[in-house]
Amino acid sequence: MTIPKLPGQLRENQLFLVEPPGLEQLAKAVPKEFQLIGPVQEKWAVKLAPFENTDELAFGLKTTERRASYRLEDDPGNLDFSAARPMNSPKSFNFRPKETLYQTRRDNGGVAYDVPDLEPDRKAFFGINACDVAGLYVLDRTFSRRYPDPAYAAQRQDTIVIGTTCFEPGENCFCSTFDTGPDLKGGFDIGLSWLDGQWLAEVATETGVRLMNQVDKEPATPESIELKHDKIKTARKAMSKAFDLKKGLRALNDNYDHPYWEEPADRCLSCCNCINVCPTCFCYRTTEESTVDQT
C-alpha cells in the first residue's frame, strides 16, 4: 500500500540521533493547543490516551497477544514503547464511535435543523506504530475523497503524527503482508526508532523540522541507519502470520462456503469489539431518536 506524502513533505527526510531525555523535549515542543495522545498503561492494558508528560507513556512494558488473549508484562529498562501495543487505535479519536449529525425542533409551525459546530480538534499522535499510521491513511481515503465528511475533516485536520518503528511484532502481526510496517512508509511528521540506547529520529515534514529544532540531537551515523535496517529485517522475519496477499485473496474467493467459517461464527457474541479495535473498519449506522418533551 502506497501512503501519500503529507503537506509540507521534505524533498529528503532528515535523520538524527536523540538521547532518551530528548523525547520529553519533543513532547514539550508540540504546541499547547494540540492534545498529546500516546500509548499509556491503564490497569491491565495499554491504550492510546491523552497524556501530558512522557513519563506517563508505556515504557518498560510489552504485550503478548494470542487468539482471544491479551497480556501485559513488565520489560524493565526497555524504552521502546512500540513493544506495548495498545488495545485501541487512532481511529477512536478521528472517527468517533458516536456523534450527533443534526437535531430538529419546531419553529413557527415548521421544522428547524440545528447542525453541531465542527470546531477543529487539534491533536498530536505521539509514538503510534507504523500499522496505525497506515490506518489513518485508509480512513482519510474513505472520508476525504469523493464525498468528503466534514465531521471527519474537523477531527483529522491539523493532526501531528509522530510514529514509531515496531521492532517486536506480536504473534498475530502481519503488517509486512501489506507493506504497512514494521517500518514507517509515509504519512508521518517524525518517525522514531529505538536503537538500544537512543532514538533514531526521521524528520519528514516542515512541521517535523519545527519540532526537532527544539530537541537536543546530533546527525545520524551510517552505523545507526544500518542497525535500523537490520532490526527491520529481523522483525519482518519474525512475523509468522505474514502471507502472500495474492494467494490469500484466491484462498478467500475459493472458500466462501468452507465449513471453517462456522467455528468463528459460533464464538461470535455480536459485541462489535472487532469493529472497535480495527484501525481501518468504518462501518456505521444512523438512527433517529425522539423525545416526548419536544416543543
Side-chain angles (χ1 to χ4, degrees):
M1 183 173 71
T2 302
I3 303 174
K5 295 181 178 181
L6 292 179
Q9 187 83 24
L10 301 178
R11 182 171 299 179
E12 184 176 352
N13 291 358
Q14 301 176 5
L15 296 169
F16 302 97
L17 289 175
V18 178
E19 297 298 323
L23 202 65
E24 180 66 18
Q25 294 176 340
L26 180 57
K28 291 186 179 301
V30 174
K32 297 297 183 183
E33 62 268 23
F34 284 75
Q35 183 182 48
L36 285 165
I37 298 170
V40 176
Q41 181 181 3
E42 186 173 295
K43 296 182 179 179
W44 50 269
V46 172
K47 64 179 293 185
L48 292 179
F51 71 95
E52 295 183 359
N53 302 304
T54 55
D55 291 343
E56 303 173 48
L57 296 177
F59 295 117
L61 297 170
K62 65 178 180 180
T63 56
T64 302
E65 305 89 17
R66 297 184 177 90
R67 190 172 72 171
S69 175
Y70 177 98
R71 295 289 183 270
L72 184 62
E73 305 172 11
D74 290 330
D75 190 12
N78 186 3
L79 295 185
D80 183 8
F81 47 79
S82 68
R85 284 168 285 276
M87 295 195 70
N88 60 337
S89 73
K91 182 183 74 172
S92 58
F93 296 92
N94 290 335
F95 183 56
R96 292 177 175 175
K98 185 177 181 180
E99 63 182 350
T100 300
L101 299 179
Y102 65 88
Q103 293 179 313
T104 61
R105 54 183 170 83
R106 293 181 179 179
D107 184 30
N108 295 326
V111 177
Y113 293 83
D114 296 325
V115 179
D117 293 332
L118 299 177
E119 295 293 335
D121 186 8
R122 295 179 174 177
K123 62 181 75 70
F125 291 115
F126 196 98
I128 60 174
N129 287 346
C131 54
D132 279 333
V133 174
L136 287 173
Y137 162 64
V138 173
L139 295 181
D140 291 347
R141 183 179 59 190
T142 302
F143 293 109
S144 303
R145 285 193 174 180
R146 187 171 183 180
Y147 301 105
D149 184 334
Y152 178 83
Q155 298 298 319
R156 181 69 170 96
Q157 67 183 22
D158 297 330
T159 299
I160 296 173
V161 178
I162 301 174
T164 183
T165 304
C166 182
F167 293 135
E168 298 185 39
E171 292 186 19
N172 294 319
C173 291
F174 53 93
C175 61
S176 60
T177 296
F178 296 89
D179 201 27
T180 56
D183 51 324
L184 294 155
K185 303 298 181 179
F188 64 94
D189 297 291
I190 296 177
L192 299 173
S193 301
W194 178 247
L195 300 180
D196 305 326
Q198 54 189 177
W199 296 95
L200 177 65
E202 183 176 359
V203 182
T205 66
E206 294 174 0
T207 296
V209 171
R210 290 194 293 269
L211 297 176
M212 285 301 297
N213 283 341
Q214 304 177 57
V215 176
D216 295 333
K217 58 190 178 298
E218 59 185 37
T221 62
E223 293 77 15
S224 63
I225 297 173
E226 183 178 0
L227 176 59
K228 174 189 174 182
H229 293 324
D230 289 343
K231 291 171 75 71
I232 289 173
K233 291 179 182 178
T234 300
R236 284 179 175 273
K237 293 179 181 179
M239 294 186 197
S240 59
K241 294 293 180 70
F243 59 93
D244 184 293
L245 185 57
K246 292 183 179 179
K247 291 182 180 179
L249 289 174
R250 287 197 297 269
L252 287 175
N253 291 330
D254 294 341
N255 291 280
Y256 278 123
D257 299 320
H258 195 281
Y260 165 78
W261 301 117
E262 297 178 7
E263 178 186 339
D266 290 339
R267 297 199 311 267
C268 179
L269 302 175
S270 299
C271 67
C272 296
N273 193 46
C274 55
I275 295 174
N276 291 330
V277 301
C278 177
T280 59
C281 181
F282 50 85
C283 302
Y284 68 92
R285 65 178 180 177
T286 57
T287 60
E288 292 185 358
E289 299 178 0
S290 60
T291 59
V292 295
D293 60 347
Q294 287 185 338
T295 57

